[in-house]
Amino acid sequence: MTNSRVPGFHNLSRADRLARISDLTGLTHEQTAHLAAAGPDGELADHLSENVIGVMSVPLGVATNLIVDGQDVLVPMATEESSVIAAVCNGALACRDTGGVTTQADDPCMIAQVQIVGLDDLPTAQAVVQTQTAEIARRCNECDPMLVELGGGFRDLDVRIAGPFLVVHLIVDVRDAMGANAVNTMAERLAPWLEELTGGTVGLRILSNLADRRLVRARAVWPAAVIGADTVDGIISAWAFADADPYRAATHNKGIMNGISAVALATGNDTRALEAGAHAFAAQDGYGPLSRYGKTPDGDLAGEIELPMPVGIVGGATRVHPTAQAALTIMGAENADRLGRVIASVGLVQNFSALRALATEGIQRGHMGLHARNVAIAAGASGGAIDRVARAMVDAGTVREDLARSLLSGGQD
Ligand code: NAD
């Protein structure tokens, strides 16, 4: 490929776009055929995004064993990473005797920011805007009568000074939506009126992904009799490491998001919004772990997690993607509140399992069996050869593509 300028590319049909990319980049016949074989998902993808040439498929699995607030739930998870779903199944099983996970959730309030620039006297402008809460509420609610009818709408005003800017926060209950479009519309509609009111100039008008008015908390107890007293101490020590060291905390939280983003993706939610919110929340007082662990008076392990939960069951891809709809049906999540509670529970249980593995046998043993299968496939194994080559590599204690290739060519299949 010599030039990334492809005029009119977006106007082509999906098939023609693929043919063009194939010509430009030298895709093999097999690669082109693979991308072309997207089926009905290709048509849907064309509606969801731009310049589409195919579909990137991700495994969709179901985590078993989880109880959230007294109700059993099967959790669909979309992830390409080995061990993530197994970790949720194992962690959920280990806390069933104590009732599973219990949760608390804030009302589903999102924040829209309106930035006002060019003001000389910020405190006076701040006071002026603060006197207008009722009028601002009226104007916001006018934008989305359906949301108001459903019990949502404007809830609160927070007028902040951030550096040289006045920043108006509109706090809006978005009910069963993730809410980005809903609150962005309000912020945009309110902007000209705020300019008149303050004499300043409006800059950006967009939601904040630090959704700290929409937190979910989840808690579970893992009995020492089930996981072992040494493991209880090991997990508390592993958590203390994350609490003391941001390098460890980043990995600790990445593991939590392995579970959270997988459920979000399966249900058509915006994984980036969740990731941004979680990490910004974790960084509020110096970057730290989203979960914490301690010992109950009986010596059992108590774990809890708290994080922003901007997820919905309406809007975005949730309503239009048939896989997302099926995922919500499997989960039995009839509203965004339940979905958010299940997602937070998955994050906690996932984190427990990762820490248990790290604090005991190390992460690689559990990972290796599944990882070895991926390596075997990458080396060209198919059918029954995948498991045979993977097992041989795990038994040998070495999982490498060159070994997989030599096992394959050595007539192992
Ligand atoms: P949306 O606007 O498609 O749906 C929300 C609307 O649906 C509400 O305004 C309401 O009028 C209506 N509605 C019907 N039934 C409802 C119910 N039970 N509860 C609540 N509302 C109901 O979607 P959205 O949730 O406002 O926006 C989500 C999308 O915005 C996602 O796709 C996200 O990726 C995208 N987005 C994200 C960002 C960001 O995170 N920074 C920015 C822009 C857009």
Side-chain angles (χ1 to χ4, degrees):
M1 192 206 48
T2 53
N3 193 342
S4 63
R5 277 282 301 142
V6 191
F9 185 64
H10 67 285
N11 290 325
L12 299 177
S13 70
R14 184 159 42 94
D16 288 345
R17 271 186 232 125
L18 177 56
R20 196 76 206 280
I21 291 296
S22 186
D23 286 347
L24 285 171
T25 62
L27 283 176
T28 64
H29 177 70
E30 287 74 22
Q31 286 171 324
T32 307
H34 172 73
L35 290 172
D41 281 350
E43 201 174 313
L44 176 67
D46 233 350
H47 294 302
L48 286 173
S49 190
E50 303 80 35
N51 290 4
V52 170
I53 61 164
V55 169
M56 171 72 192
S57 66
V58 175
L60 177 72
V62 175
T64 56
N65 302 328
L66 187 63
I67 300 174
V68 176
D69 296 324
Q71 280 179 4
D72 273 275
V73 58
L74 291 169
V75 188
M77 300 177 70
T79 178
E80 87 298 347
E81 188 169 345
S82 313
S83 305
V84 168
I85 298 175
V88 174
C89 298
N90 294 336
L93 183 62
C95 65
R96 277 185 78 86
D97 286 353
T98 49
V101 187
T102 51
T103 67
Q104 291 177 316
D106 294 345
D107 285 342
C109 286
M110 298 298 285
I111 300 167
Q113 298 192 289
V114 183
Q115 174 205 24
I116 307 177
V117 305
L119 293 171
D120 293 330
D121 184 353
L122 289 169
T124 300
Q126 182 183 36
V128 167
V129 177
Q130 264 157 352
T131 62
Q132 295 298 315
T133 307
E135 178 61 14
I136 290 171
R138 192 188 65 74
R139 286 173 181 266
C140 286
N141 286 341
E142 223 174 51
C143 296
D144 203 334
M146 179 180 246
L147 189 60
V148 174
E149 201 172 303
L150 291 163
F154 179 90
R155 286 291 180 271
D156 203 0
L157 185 71
D158 186 13
V159 190
R160 304 163 56 245
I161 294 173
F165 310 118
L166 191 70
V167 185
V168 178
H169 279 194
L170 309 171
I171 293 139
V172 181
D173 184 324
V174 296
R175 298 283 90 199
D176 288 322
M178 179 271 185
N181 290 322
V183 301
N184 290 346
T185 306
M186 291 179 187
E188 289 194 1
R189 292 256 189 95
L190 200 64
W193 181 81
L194 281 172
E195 286 188 336
E196 273 176 40
L197 182 71
T198 60
T201 304
V202 165
L204 306 189
R205 298 141 295 164
I206 179 91
L207 98 160
S208 169
N209 283 112
L210 178 48
D212 61 0
R213 300 284 189 127
R214 195 177 188 177
L215 302 179
V216 175
R217 292 159 286 277
R219 185 175 193 278
V221 171
W222 286 272
V226 173
I227 63 172
D230 288 352
T231 304
V232 172
D233 290 336
I235 289 177
I236 293 170
S237 167
W239 168 78
F241 179 15
D243 197 41
D245 180 2
Y247 285 87
R248 172 58 209 149
T251 320
H252 180 102
N253 290 341
K254 189 275 181 183
I256 289 172
M257 300 312 290
N258 275 344
I260 286 180
S261 288
V263 188
L265 187 58
T267 54
N269 273 283
D270 185 334
T271 55
R272 291 81 55 206
L274 276 159
E275 297 273 355
H279 292 291
F281 185 69
Q284 276 185 316
D285 304 311
Y287 192 84
L290 289 161
S291 61
R292 56 176 48 245
Y293 291 86
K295 215 183 266 191
T296 68
D298 295 334
D300 298 331
L301 179 74
E304 54 193 38
I305 191 170
E306 182 180 44
L307 81 166
M309 195 51 64
V311 292
I313 60 161
V314 298
T318 52
R319 273 269 162 92
V320 294
H321 203 303
T323 307
Q325 282 292 297
L328 288 170
T329 304
I330 291 168
M331 197 190 282
E334 285 173 358
N335 50 47
D337 180 76
R338 174 70 179 168
L339 174 62
R341 290 169 189 262
V342 171
I343 291 180
S345 303
V346 165
L348 177 63
V349 166
Q350 172 83 49
N351 183 229
F352 158 82
S353 285
L355 294 185
R356 174 157 74 163
L358 283 168
T360 54
E361 63 193 16
I363 206 86
Q364 286 308 78
R365 189 166 150 211
H367 248 276
M368 271 307 136
L370 291 162
H371 175 58
R373 290 170 52 84
N374 291 345
V375 172
I377 294 168
S382 60
I386 298 172
D387 276 342
R388 277 197 294 282
V389 169
R391 217 175 303 122
M393 287 193 290
V394 170
D395 290 347
T398 307
V399 179
R400 281 200 329 256
E401 202 172 313
D402 58 326
L403 175 61
R405 254 191 245 108
S406 95
L407 286 164
L408 271 174
S409 64
Q412 299 286 317
D413 187 15

